[in-house]
């Protein structure tokens, strides 16, 4: 895998060239057009997104004028999803790609190879920041070095470059900003339907504002403010609504916590009187269940919404999550 500092450099370069490249180069598989507007045949804009929450936004804003595909297949955990060569080829043939860098290194790399689509990097629009529990992959085998730190303390390690937390979509306010950026990109690519995109954005904004309001009021008066999750997906949500997230496995759902990290989470559970350990559908609940058994807590599902929900959509899953949080934190 490419070291983080290198891929960050290439991402910066990509952001600079992506707009300019539109008019200068056409990928072999892409019909060349003289400007960035949609194909003259009137076909829907072809939009590729990295994974579900961005797909939700692109579909809601684009409506009937877009054909949205997700690079990450449904029910696949998107962290570090590896693109197949055919996925890269498919990307080349799209009009617009919307993503956040740093979440799927394989997609970051692929986007340095394609020159057909406009590339919309949403990270600036949603103001990605570092959160405790978000760290680099331990590619250099330095796990032992940090065995005495919890995920919560990890970000303070001077040797660790602070990585941006990609999980912006669990904060409806940041989702609103991402929706705005997508609307701007769609209107530029397809000015004929700009009014539709604007109207769709208004409706979506109303939904997202409603979620924000529900969360603000629903989490205002709770007995506890710390919640324990499987992986550290809920940092922006916690920050927005005055809560504290403690996670079992940090930002990467696949990483195994060390015994010391597990002990630290167990201590948090005991000290905060936590009664619920949250699990998620695409990650094994084994560790969470063991922790719950040891502490007398129960488990419940909190959906990080990294893949399309089995029923309903992003907004419905967010509402379900709010009810789960309210129960876990004993909110009035
Ligand atoms: Zn995640």
């Amino acid at each position: 895998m490419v070291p983080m500092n290198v891929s960050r450099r290439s991402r910066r370069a990509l952001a600079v060239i992506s707009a300019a490249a539109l008019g200068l180069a056409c990928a072999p598989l892409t019909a060349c057009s003289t400007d960035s507007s949609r194909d003259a045949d009137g076909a829907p804009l072809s939009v590729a997104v990295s994974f579900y929450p961005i797909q939700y936004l692109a579909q809601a804003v684009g409506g009937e004028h877009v054909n949205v595909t997700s690079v990450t297949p449904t029910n696949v955990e998107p962290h570090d999803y590896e693109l197949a060569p055919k996925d890269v080829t498919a990307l080349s043939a799209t009009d617009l790609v919307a993503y956040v860098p740093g979440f799927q290194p394989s997609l970051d790399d692929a986007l340095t190879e394609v020159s057909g689509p406009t590339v919309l990097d949403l990270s600036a629009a949603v103001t990605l920041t570092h959160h405790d529990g978000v760290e680099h992959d331990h590619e250099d085998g330095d796990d032992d070095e940090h065995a005495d730190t919890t995920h919560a303390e990890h970000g303070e390690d001077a040797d660790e470059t602070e990585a941006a937390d990609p999980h912006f979509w669990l904060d409806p306010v940041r989702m609103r900003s991402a929706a705005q950026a997508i609307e701007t990109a769609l209107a530029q690519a397809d000015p004929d339907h700009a009014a539709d995109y604007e109207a769709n954005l208004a409706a979506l904004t109303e939904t997202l504002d409603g979620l924000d309001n529900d969360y603000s009021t629903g989490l205002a008066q709770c007995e506890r403010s710390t919640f324990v999750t499987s992986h550290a997906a809920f940092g922006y949500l916690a920050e927005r609504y005055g809560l504290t997230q403690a996670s079992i496995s940090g930002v990467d759902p696949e990483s195994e916590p060390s015994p010391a990290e597990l002990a630290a989470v167990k201590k948090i559970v005991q000290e905060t009187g936590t009664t619920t350990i949250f699990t998620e559908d695409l990650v094994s609940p084994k560790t969470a269940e063991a922790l719950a058994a040891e502490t007398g807590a129960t488990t419940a599902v909190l959906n990080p919404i990294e893949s399309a929900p089995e029923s309903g959509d992003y907004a419905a899953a967010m509402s379900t999550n709010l009810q789960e949080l309210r129960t876990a934190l004993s909110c009035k």
Side-chain angles (χ1 to χ4, degrees):
M1 195 186 295
V2 180
M4 184 64 80
N5 59 343
V6 172
S7 62
R8 277 193 170 161
R9 267 202 301 276
S10 60
R11 284 201 302 274
R12 269 199 296 276
L14 179 68
V16 173
I17 64 160
S18 60
L22 275 172
L24 300 175
C26 301
L29 295 169
T30 312
C32 293
S33 59
T34 52
D35 59 26
S36 61
S37 53
R38 69 195 304 221
D39 293 344
D41 59 6
L45 278 182
S46 171
V47 180
V49 299
S50 41
F51 59 104
Y52 173 71
I54 304 175
Q55 181 179 15
Y56 168 79
L57 294 178
Q59 281 172 338
V61 176
E64 63 183 353
H65 306 306
V66 298
N67 182 10
V68 185
T69 53
S70 172
V71 170
T72 311
T74 301
N75 286 329
V76 171
E77 165 50 59
H79 279 267
D80 296 332
Y81 174 72
E82 294 282 335
L83 277 70
K86 68 175 173 54
D87 298 328
V88 181
T89 304
L91 276 182
S92 298
T94 62
D95 297 308
L96 176 71
V97 180
Y99 83 124
V100 280
F103 189 51
Q104 299 173 301
S106 169
L107 176 59
D108 296 349
D109 292 344
L111 288 174
T112 64
E113 294 170 26
V114 301
S115 57
T118 301
V119 176
L120 176 60
D121 171 354
L122 293 169
S123 58
V126 300
T127 323
L128 294 186
T129 61
H130 173 78
H131 284 124
D132 292 338
V134 179
E135 62 206 64
H136 293 305
D137 294 342
H138 291 277
E139 293 167 57
D140 51 358
D142 65 349
D143 286 48
D144 292 342
E145 187 188 326
H146 302 297
D148 60 340
T149 67
T150 66
H151 285 291
E153 291 164 343
H154 216 139
E156 292 161 16
D157 188 325
D159 293 334
E160 292 270 345
T161 307
E162 292 195 331
D165 179 358
H167 300 94
F168 73 88
W169 57 92
L170 294 163
D171 171 6
V173 178
R174 280 183 164 79
M175 277 293 264
R176 200 174 58 196
S177 301
Q180 173 75 63
I182 288 170
E183 190 265 346
T184 300
L186 290 178
Q188 277 174 2
D190 177 21
D192 288 353
H193 297 111
D196 287 349
Y197 298 136
E198 194 180 343
N200 291 344
L201 175 66
L204 176 59
T205 298
E206 200 169 312
T207 299
L208 297 172
D209 284 349
L211 283 173
D212 178 37
N213 187 52
D214 290 349
Y215 269 72
S216 292
T217 55
L219 297 169
Q221 288 183 290
C222 307
E223 281 181 24
R224 289 173 298 280
S225 61
T226 297
F227 61 105
V228 178
T229 64
S230 181
H231 87 287
F234 299 86
Y236 293 107
L237 186 158
E239 189 179 76
R240 178 70 61 195
Y241 303 109
L243 305 177
T244 301
Q245 168 186 237
S247 74
I248 292 172
S249 66
V251 73
D252 183 353
E254 302 300 321
S255 76
E256 286 287 326
S258 69
E261 287 167 339
L262 211 46
V265 178
K266 184 177 172 183
K267 195 170 164 216
I268 290 171
V269 171
Q270 290 166 332
E271 286 178 354
T272 59
T274 292
T275 57
T276 306
I277 310 296
F278 283 117
T279 62
E280 53 188 88
D281 284 337
L282 298 182
V283 174
S284 164
K286 218 177 75 182
T287 309
E289 283 169 354
L291 179 62
E294 280 180 38
T295 56
T298 55
T299 60
V301 174
L302 196 63
N303 188 348
I305 322 182
E306 294 180 352
S307 187
E310 280 188 14
S311 63
D313 60 6
Y314 165 85
M318 285 292 285
S319 294
T320 302
N321 279 352
L322 174 58
Q323 294 316 315
E324 293 294 343
L325 282 167
R326 282 175 47 76
T327 302
L329 301 175
S330 298
C331 304
K332 287 179 191 162

